[in-house]
Amino acid sequence: MSNAISSLAGTEQQHDAKKRPLVEKWFPRFGYASAEIGTILIFEIISSYLGLYYTDAVGLAPAIVAALMLIVRIIQSVGTPIAGNIIDRTKSRFGLCRPWLLWGLPFLVVLSILTFTTVGHTTVTKVLWAGFTYICLSVVFTMVDTAKGTLVNTISADMNERVVLNSYRSMGSSVGRLVLSGITMPLILFFGNGARGYFTTNLIFAIATIPFLLFAFVACKEHVAVAPDAPKITVKESLVSLMRNSQLLWFVLFNLVATGATLWRVSISTYYYIYSVGRPDLVSPMLMAFTAGQFIPPLIVPFILKYFSKKTALMFGSIMQGVILIAMHFTPYDNVVLIGVLTFMFGVSMMGSIIGFSACSDCIEYDYYRNGRRMPGTVVGAVSLSVAAGMAIGGSLGMFLLGVVGYHKGVVMDMAMRSDISLVVNLIPGIIMIAGIVILIPYKLSNKRMLEIQEANKLKDAAIESDVA
């Protein structure tokens, strides 16, 4: 089957995994964590500081920045499934995914550096340069990041090992975000708190990306290949199957809203701490508190899912996020301790992505149960598309509304403006997070239902193995 990893290859890998030397066992795990850190070095400063750089250092209006980010994220939304298709068709002695870590690295570094440079003195020139560099960086980053996300499926066919690999990836993400949240703003302030500060800080991170992605390329050998003699599934067949997968459609819609609200808040959170709270020096400690909180979900989510369905857990996480943000909006700006606690708890509430990975797998198994074809790439592509679309809508709306309430470089920060910024950063996305849970009401893949589906799918897999033998 073209859309499935050879079941025989998976069986062989499970036996071989026990015999592998320790180096071969641990290298891919640390390599996969290294790949995550390498991309985080680029992604974090872009997602958290590029908007601030454009408005405060370059001097672009928030509405222009919002439009630029919307265009870039629409391109990301369209580019994610295209990147997946390109990876599936890659033929290289290095495998399907690893080559893109190597080939994309120099372009990723150079374009990241250029994105934090300013060309010209007129608004038109600045906008054109910002658009060109940001769009080019987005295209390359999408290609590398999609390859990284797909890599886990070609390193090993053992499902348990994939869980371990994803755990190392998650830990790499948490460590990377924690370090970056602690040093990024201090570095920007140290180097000048203007265009030079942003450029120099980003230059350091871009150069630091190189050894992490190179190590990932060396350490993450690909051992799983798609069966070469299997019939291909057409794009039309894939789309028809997706549109008939009602459970996937509900999950994708919820994911779009949840991701949009989360990225809305995260992408402009620095405005709240700098202007509403009036403490630029708190940006790094608060981002560190937020990142520290994200160490908790990997520890508690497996326990939660033992007793509650993924649907219930996703709803609970969204309600928790919304309540925390609403509480933060009504917290006095001088109560730094409470703001710090709420910021940490907002990090703790970020359980959706971890639970979402499992829910995505359920949708893949449900699709296989429905039509007898496993299309993990197509399903993951649809979910990735919802994430990219959520980022496009949420990130752009947040920046746009900052302009609507009157924020611009040099605006007088009276109490009304401080409150309006908090309303945009905290209150509105908090309400959206809570309201978004109604989308999951028709989602029916409970734990009991998934056990029934898995048993039925095992019978299909056994029949396929029997045919191959």
PDB file of all heavy atoms in Angstrom, residues 384-417:
ATOM      1  N   SER A 384      -2.160  20.103  10.226  1.00  0.00           N
ATOM      2  CA  SER A 384      -1.130  21.147  10.116  1.00  0.00           C
ATOM      3  C   SER A 384      -1.680  22.377   9.418  1.00  0.00           C
ATOM      4  O   SER A 384      -1.336  23.515   9.766  1.00  0.00           O
ATOM      5  CB  SER A 384       0.085  20.614   9.353  1.00  0.00           C
ATOM      6  OG  SER A 384       0.677  19.522  10.031  1.00  0.00           O
ATOM      7  N   LEU A 385      -2.544  22.154   8.430  1.00  0.00           N
ATOM      8  CA  LEU A 385      -3.174  23.262   7.735  1.00  0.00           C
ATOM      9  C   LEU A 385      -4.034  24.083   8.691  1.00  0.00           C
ATOM     10  O   LEU A 385      -4.032  25.322   8.644  1.00  0.00           O
ATOM     11  CB  LEU A 385      -4.035  22.735   6.586  1.00  0.00           C
ATOM     12  CG  LEU A 385      -4.789  23.772   5.739  1.00  0.00           C
ATOM     13  CD1 LEU A 385      -3.807  24.689   5.044  1.00  0.00           C
ATOM     14  CD2 LEU A 385      -5.682  23.074   4.714  1.00  0.00           C
ATOM     15  N   SER A 386      -4.749  23.401   9.588  1.00  0.00           N
ATOM     16  CA  SER A 386      -5.580  24.125  10.555  1.00  0.00           C
ATOM     17  C   SER A 386      -4.718  24.927  11.525  1.00  0.00           C
ATOM     18  O   SER A 386      -5.088  26.031  11.930  1.00  0.00           O
ATOM     19  CB  SER A 386      -6.474  23.146  11.327  1.00  0.00           C
ATOM     20  OG  SER A 386      -5.729  22.351  12.228  1.00  0.00           O
ATOM     21  N   VAL A 387      -3.558  24.375  11.895  1.00  0.00           N
ATOM     22  CA  VAL A 387      -2.638  25.095  12.782  1.00  0.00           C
ATOM     23  C   VAL A 387      -2.111  26.347  12.086  1.00  0.00           C
ATOM     24  O   VAL A 387      -2.092  27.445  12.659  1.00  0.00           O
ATOM     25  CB  VAL A 387      -1.470  24.188  13.206  1.00  0.00           C
ATOM     26  CG1 VAL A 387      -0.404  24.992  13.960  1.00  0.00           C
ATOM     27  CG2 VAL A 387      -1.972  23.041  14.076  1.00  0.00           C
ATOM     28  N   ALA A 388      -1.660  26.168  10.833  1.00  0.00           N
ATOM     29  CA  ALA A 388      -1.128  27.309  10.081  1.00  0.00           C
ATOM     30  C   ALA A 388      -2.189  28.371   9.860  1.00  0.00           C
ATOM     31  O   ALA A 388      -1.930  29.580   9.976  1.00  0.00           O
ATOM     32  CB  ALA A 388      -0.563  26.829   8.747  1.00  0.00           C
ATOM     33  N   ALA A 389      -3.423  27.932   9.542  1.00  0.00           N
ATOM     34  CA  ALA A 389      -4.516  28.885   9.340  1.00  0.00           C
ATOM     35  C   ALA A 389      -4.851  29.611  10.636  1.00  0.00           C
ATOM     36  O   ALA A 389      -5.119  30.820  10.647  1.00  0.00           O
ATOM     37  CB  ALA A 389      -5.742  28.167   8.796  1.00  0.00           C
ATOM     38  N   GLY A 390      -4.825  28.870  11.757  1.00  0.00           N
ATOM     39  CA  GLY A 390      -5.068  29.500  13.055  1.00  0.00           C
ATOM     40  C   GLY A 390      -4.016  30.534  13.386  1.00  0.00           C
ATOM     41  O   GLY A 390      -4.324  31.613  13.911  1.00  0.00           O
ATOM     42  N   MET A 391      -2.765  30.212  13.074  1.00  0.00           N
ATOM     43  CA  MET A 391      -1.680  31.168  13.284  1.00  0.00           C
ATOM     44  C   MET A 391      -1.881  32.413  12.429  1.00  0.00           C
ATOM     45  O   MET A 391      -1.658  33.549  12.877  1.00  0.00           O
ATOM     46  CB  MET A 391      -0.339  30.521  12.964  1.00  0.00           C
ATOM     47  CG  MET A 391       0.082  29.424  13.924  1.00  0.00           C
ATOM     48  SD  MET A 391       1.594  28.565  13.387  1.00  0.00           S
ATOM     49  CE  MET A 391       2.774  29.912  13.455  1.00  0.00           C
ATOM     50  N   ALA A 392      -2.303  32.198  11.180  1.00  0.00           N
ATOM     51  CA  ALA A 392      -2.501  33.319  10.260  1.00  0.00           C
ATOM     52  C   ALA A 392      -3.603  34.249  10.762  1.00  0.00           C
ATOM     53  O   ALA A 392      -3.434  35.469  10.809  1.00  0.00           O
ATOM     54  CB  ALA A 392      -2.848  32.795   8.870  1.00  0.00           C
ATOM     55  N   ILE A 393      -4.728  33.660  11.147  1.00  0.00           N
ATOM     56  CA  ILE A 393      -5.865  34.464  11.574  1.00  0.00           C
ATOM     57  C   ILE A 393      -5.623  35.089  12.943  1.00  0.00           C
ATOM     58  O   ILE A 393      -5.791  36.301  13.133  1.00  0.00           O
ATOM     59  CB  ILE A 393      -7.146  33.608  11.586  1.00  0.00           C
ATOM     60  CG1 ILE A 393      -7.463  33.103  10.175  1.00  0.00           C
ATOM     61  CG2 ILE A 393      -8.320  34.410  12.150  1.00  0.00           C
ATOM     62  CD1 ILE A 393      -8.563  32.063  10.124  1.00  0.00           C
ATOM     63  N   GLY A 394      -5.217  34.251  13.903  1.00  0.00           N
ATOM     64  CA  GLY A 394      -5.034  34.739  15.269  1.00  0.00           C
ATOM     65  C   GLY A 394      -3.933  35.773  15.394  1.00  0.00           C
ATOM     66  O   GLY A 394      -4.129  36.847  15.982  1.00  0.00           O
ATOM     67  N   GLY A 395      -2.747  35.466  14.843  1.00  0.00           N
ATOM     68  CA  GLY A 395      -1.637  36.401  14.952  1.00  0.00           C
ATOM     69  C   GLY A 395      -1.931  37.732  14.290  1.00  0.00           C
ATOM     70  O   GLY A 395      -1.586  38.800  14.820  1.00  0.00           O
ATOM     71  N   SER A 396      -2.578  37.701  13.148  1.00  0.00           N
ATOM     72  CA  SER A 396      -2.872  38.938  12.420  1.00  0.00           C
ATOM     73  C   SER A 396      -3.987  39.739  13.089  1.00  0.00           C
ATOM     74  O   SER A 396      -3.920  40.966  13.162  1.00  0.00           O
ATOM     75  CB  SER A 396      -3.264  38.620  10.975  1.00  0.00           C
ATOM     76  OG  SER A 396      -2.223  37.926  10.316  1.00  0.00           O
ATOM     77  N   LEU A 397      -5.037  39.051  13.579  1.00  0.00           N
ATOM     78  CA  LEU A 397      -6.132  39.756  14.230  1.00  0.00           C
ATOM     79  C   LEU A 397      -5.667  40.493  15.482  1.00  0.00           C
ATOM     80  O   LEU A 397      -6.091  41.619  15.745  1.00  0.00           O
ATOM     81  CB  LEU A 397      -7.249  38.770  14.592  1.00  0.00           C
ATOM     82  CG  LEU A 397      -8.342  38.550  13.542  1.00  0.00           C
ATOM     83  CD1 LEU A 397      -9.335  37.515  14.033  1.00  0.00           C
ATOM     84  CD2 LEU A 397      -9.045  39.858  13.209  1.00  0.00           C
ATOM     85  N   GLY A 398      -4.797  39.839  16.250  1.00  0.00           N
ATOM     86  CA  GLY A 398      -4.292  40.479  17.462  1.00  0.00           C
ATOM     87  C   GLY A 398      -3.557  41.772  17.146  1.00  0.00           C
ATOM     88  O   GLY A 398      -3.803  42.818  17.760  1.00  0.00           O
ATOM     89  N   MET A 399      -2.652  41.727  16.173  1.00  0.00           N
ATOM     90  CA  MET A 399      -1.904  42.917  15.785  1.00  0.00           C
ATOM     91  C   MET A 399      -2.830  43.977  15.199  1.00  0.00           C
ATOM     92  O   MET A 399      -2.690  45.171  15.470  1.00  0.00           O
ATOM     93  CB  MET A 399      -0.827  42.528  14.771  1.00  0.00           C
ATOM     94  CG  MET A 399       0.102  43.672  14.385  1.00  0.00           C
ATOM     95  SD  MET A 399       1.067  44.329  15.771  1.00  0.00           S
ATOM     96  CE  MET A 399       2.147  42.933  16.097  1.00  0.00           C
ATOM     97  N   PHE A 400      -3.798  43.536  14.392  1.00  0.00           N
ATOM     98  CA  PHE A 400      -4.733  44.472  13.776  1.00  0.00           C
ATOM     99  C   PHE A 400      -5.548  45.211  14.843  1.00  0.00           C
ATOM    100  O   PHE A 400      -5.741  46.440  14.768  1.00  0.00           O
ATOM    101  CB  PHE A 400      -5.673  43.724  12.824  1.00  0.00           C
ATOM    102  CG  PHE A 400      -6.773  44.569  12.261  1.00  0.00           C
ATOM    103  CD1 PHE A 400      -6.513  45.490  11.258  1.00  0.00           C
ATOM    104  CD2 PHE A 400      -8.073  44.438  12.735  1.00  0.00           C
ATOM    105  CE1 PHE A 400      -7.539  46.286  10.739  1.00  0.00           C
ATOM    106  CE2 PHE A 400      -9.097  45.224  12.222  1.00  0.00           C
ATOM    107  CZ  PHE A 400      -8.823  46.153  11.225  1.00  0.00           C
ATOM    108  N   LEU A 401      -6.028  44.484  15.850  1.00  0.00           N
ATOM    109  CA  LEU A 401      -6.845  45.109  16.883  1.00  0.00           C
ATOM    110  C   LEU A 401      -6.036  46.061  17.761  1.00  0.00           C
ATOM    111  O   LEU A 401      -6.589  47.017  18.320  1.00  0.00           O
ATOM    112  CB  LEU A 401      -7.530  44.042  17.743  1.00  0.00           C
ATOM    113  CG  LEU A 401      -8.686  43.302  17.063  1.00  0.00           C
ATOM    114  CD1 LEU A 401      -9.276  42.256  17.989  1.00  0.00           C
ATOM    115  CD2 LEU A 401      -9.761  44.286  16.611  1.00  0.00           C
ATOM    116  N   LEU A 402      -4.728  45.807  17.907  1.00  0.00           N
ATOM    117  CA  LEU A 402      -3.885  46.779  18.614  1.00  0.00           C
ATOM    118  C   LEU A 402      -3.929  48.126  17.893  1.00  0.00           C
ATOM    119  O   LEU A 402      -3.982  49.186  18.522  1.00  0.00           O
ATOM    120  CB  LEU A 402      -2.444  46.275  18.703  1.00  0.00           C
ATOM    121  CG  LEU A 402      -2.133  45.215  19.758  1.00  0.00           C
ATOM    122  CD1 LEU A 402      -0.675  44.781  19.661  1.00  0.00           C
ATOM    123  CD2 LEU A 402      -2.428  45.740  21.164  1.00  0.00           C
ATOM    124  N   GLY A 403      -3.890  48.077  16.563  1.00  0.00           N
ATOM    125  CA  GLY A 403      -4.013  49.309  15.796  1.00  0.00           C
ATOM    126  C   GLY A 403      -5.388  49.934  15.925  1.00  0.00           C
ATOM    127  O   GLY A 403      -5.530  51.157  15.995  1.00  0.00           O
ATOM    128  N   VAL A 404      -6.434  49.091  15.971  1.00  0.00           N
ATOM    129  CA  VAL A 404      -7.804  49.595  16.087  1.00  0.00           C
ATOM    130  C   VAL A 404      -8.009  50.365  17.395  1.00  0.00           C
ATOM    131  O   VAL A 404      -8.666  51.417  17.416  1.00  0.00           O
ATOM    132  CB  VAL A 404      -8.813  48.432  15.986  1.00  0.00           C
ATOM    133  CG1 VAL A 404     -10.226  48.895  16.364  1.00  0.00           C
ATOM    134  CG2 VAL A 404      -8.817  47.856  14.579  1.00  0.00           C
ATOM    135  N   VAL A 405      -7.435  49.861  18.498  1.00  0.00           N
ATOM    136  CA  VAL A 405      -7.609  50.546  19.789  1.00  0.00           C
ATOM    137  C   VAL A 405      -6.706  51.762  19.923  1.00  0.00           C
ATOM    138  O   VAL A 405      -6.750  52.464  20.946  1.00  0.00           O
ATOM    139  CB  VAL A 405      -7.369  49.574  20.972  1.00  0.00           C
ATOM    140  CG1 VAL A 405      -8.354  48.432  20.931  1.00  0.00           C
ATOM    141  CG2 VAL A 405      -5.919  49.055  20.990  1.00  0.00           C
ATOM    142  N   GLY A 406      -5.865  52.017  18.906  1.00  0.00           N
ATOM    143  CA  GLY A 406      -5.088  53.257  18.888  1.00  0.00           C
ATOM    144  C   GLY A 406      -3.616  53.120  19.177  1.00  0.00           C
ATOM    145  O   GLY A 406      -2.906  54.131  19.269  1.00  0.00           O
ATOM    146  N   TYR A 407      -3.115  51.872  19.311  1.00  0.00           N
ATOM    147  CA  TYR A 407      -1.685  51.750  19.596  1.00  0.00           C
ATOM    148  C   TYR A 407      -0.845  52.070  18.362  1.00  0.00           C
ATOM    149  O   TYR A 407      -1.154  51.638  17.252  1.00  0.00           O
ATOM    150  CB  TYR A 407      -1.324  50.331  20.067  1.00  0.00           C
ATOM    151  CG  TYR A 407       0.181  50.150  20.166  1.00  0.00           C
ATOM    152  CD1 TYR A 407       0.873  50.620  21.256  1.00  0.00           C
ATOM    153  CD2 TYR A 407       0.890  49.569  19.114  1.00  0.00           C
ATOM    154  CE1 TYR A 407       2.260  50.508  21.331  1.00  0.00           C
ATOM    155  CE2 TYR A 407       2.270  49.447  19.178  1.00  0.00           C
ATOM    156  CZ  TYR A 407       2.942  49.922  20.281  1.00  0.00           C
ATOM    157  OH  TYR A 407       4.313  49.825  20.339  1.00  0.00           O
ATOM    158  N   HIS A 408       0.203  52.839  18.575  1.00  0.00           N
ATOM    159  CA  HIS A 408       1.238  53.061  17.570  1.00  0.00           C
ATOM    160  C   HIS A 408       2.490  53.509  18.302  1.00  0.00           C
ATOM    161  O   HIS A 408       2.453  53.842  19.496  1.00  0.00           O
ATOM    162  CB  HIS A 408       0.793  54.115  16.538  1.00  0.00           C
ATOM    163  CG  HIS A 408       0.455  55.456  17.140  1.00  0.00           C
ATOM    164  ND1 HIS A 408       1.403  56.400  17.456  1.00  0.00           N
ATOM    165  CD2 HIS A 408      -0.753  55.982  17.520  1.00  0.00           C
ATOM    166  CE1 HIS A 408       0.830  57.468  17.981  1.00  0.00           C
ATOM    167  NE2 HIS A 408      -0.487  57.233  18.037  1.00  0.00           N
ATOM    168  N   LYS A 409       3.588  53.512  17.611  1.00  0.00           N
ATOM    169  CA  LYS A 409       4.860  53.882  18.231  1.00  0.00           C
ATOM    170  C   LYS A 409       4.779  55.309  18.778  1.00  0.00           C
ATOM    171  O   LYS A 409       4.398  56.234  18.075  1.00  0.00           O
ATOM    172  CB  LYS A 409       5.993  53.776  17.217  1.00  0.00           C
ATOM    173  CG  LYS A 409       7.373  54.054  17.810  1.00  0.00           C
ATOM    174  CD  LYS A 409       8.455  53.909  16.765  1.00  0.00           C
ATOM    175  CE  LYS A 409       9.839  54.184  17.376  1.00  0.00           C
ATOM    176  NZ  LYS A 409      10.919  54.049  16.370  1.00  0.00           N
ATOM    177  N   GLY A 410       5.104  55.464  20.066  1.00  0.00           N
ATOM    178  CA  GLY A 410       5.098  56.780  20.682  1.00  0.00           C
ATOM    179  C   GLY A 410       3.770  57.204  21.263  1.00  0.00           C
ATOM    180  O   GLY A 410       3.650  58.327  21.773  1.00  0.00           O
ATOM    181  N   VAL A 411       2.738  56.348  21.209  1.00  0.00           N
ATOM    182  CA  VAL A 411       1.436  56.713  21.755  1.00  0.00           C
ATOM    183  C   VAL A 411       1.532  56.938  23.260  1.00  0.00           C
ATOM    184  O   VAL A 411       2.327  56.291  23.955  1.00  0.00           O
ATOM    185  CB  VAL A 411       0.391  55.614  21.448  1.00  0.00           C
ATOM    186  CG1 VAL A 411       0.700  54.333  22.208  1.00  0.00           C
ATOM    187  CG2 VAL A 411      -1.024  56.107  21.784  1.00  0.00           C
ATOM    188  N   VAL A 412       0.752  57.879  23.779  1.00  0.00           N
ATOM    189  CA  VAL A 412       0.737  58.165  25.213  1.00  0.00           C
ATOM    190  C   VAL A 412       0.090  56.990  25.948  1.00  0.00           C
ATOM    191  O   VAL A 412      -1.042  56.594  25.638  1.00  0.00           O
ATOM    192  CB  VAL A 412      -0.041  59.464  25.500  1.00  0.00           C
ATOM    193  CG1 VAL A 412      -0.137  59.691  27.010  1.00  0.00           C
ATOM    194  CG2 VAL A 412       0.629  60.649  24.821  1.00  0.00           C
ATOM    195  N   MET A 413       0.809  56.451  26.928  1.00  0.00           N
ATOM    196  CA  MET A 413       0.315  55.279  27.660  1.00  0.00           C
ATOM    197  C   MET A 413      -0.459  55.706  28.909  1.00  0.00           C
ATOM    198  O   MET A 413       0.026  55.588  30.039  1.00  0.00           O
ATOM    199  CB  MET A 413       1.487  54.365  28.045  1.00  0.00           C
ATOM    200  CG  MET A 413       1.986  53.521  26.913  1.00  0.00           C
ATOM    201  SD  MET A 413       0.717  52.339  26.383  1.00  0.00           S
ATOM    202  CE  MET A 413       1.244  52.051  24.693  1.00  0.00           C
ATOM    203  N   ASP A 414      -1.677  56.202  28.687  1.00  0.00           N
ATOM    204  CA  ASP A 414      -2.528  56.483  29.831  1.00  0.00           C
ATOM    205  C   ASP A 414      -3.252  55.206  30.248  1.00  0.00           C
ATOM    206  O   ASP A 414      -3.093  54.155  29.615  1.00  0.00           O
ATOM    207  CB  ASP A 414      -3.527  57.595  29.497  1.00  0.00           C
ATOM    208  CG  ASP A 414      -4.344  57.292  28.235  1.00  0.00           C
ATOM    209  OD1 ASP A 414      -4.426  56.113  27.846  1.00  0.00           O
ATOM    210  OD2 ASP A 414      -4.904  58.240  27.658  1.00  0.00           O
ATOM    211  N   MET A 415      -4.072  55.278  31.282  1.00  0.00           N
ATOM    212  CA  MET A 415      -4.727  54.070  31.795  1.00  0.00           C
ATOM    213  C   MET A 415      -5.681  53.471  30.778  1.00  0.00           C
ATOM    214  O   MET A 415      -5.833  52.243  30.700  1.00  0.00           O
ATOM    215  CB  MET A 415      -5.476  54.399  33.085  1.00  0.00           C
ATOM    216  CG  MET A 415      -4.576  54.564  34.300  1.00  0.00           C
ATOM    217  SD  MET A 415      -3.560  53.090  34.628  1.00  0.00           S
ATOM    218  CE  MET A 415      -4.812  51.871  34.963  1.00  0.00           C
ATOM    219  N   ALA A 416      -6.326  54.310  29.968  1.00  0.00           N
ATOM    220  CA  ALA A 416      -7.261  53.790  28.973  1.00  0.00           C
ATOM    221  C   ALA A 416      -6.533  52.960  27.923  1.00  0.00           C
ATOM    222  O   ALA A 416      -6.997  51.875  27.541  1.00  0.00           O
ATOM    223  CB  ALA A 416      -8.010  54.952  28.305  1.00  0.00           C
ATOM    224  N   MET A 417      -5.376  53.455  27.451  1.00  0.00           N
ATOM    225  CA  MET A 417      -4.606  52.716  26.452  1.00  0.00           C
ATOM    226  C   MET A 417      -4.057  51.424  27.044  1.00  0.00           C
ATOM    227  O   MET A 417      -4.065  50.369  26.387  1.00  0.00           O
ATOM    228  CB  MET A 417      -3.475  53.587  25.914  1.00  0.00           C
ATOM    229  CG  MET A 417      -2.570  52.889  24.888  1.00  0.00           C
ATOM    230  SD  MET A 417      -3.475  52.175  23.494  1.00  0.00           S
ATOM    231  CE  MET A 417      -4.199  53.651  22.751  1.00  0.00           C
TER     232      MET A 417
END
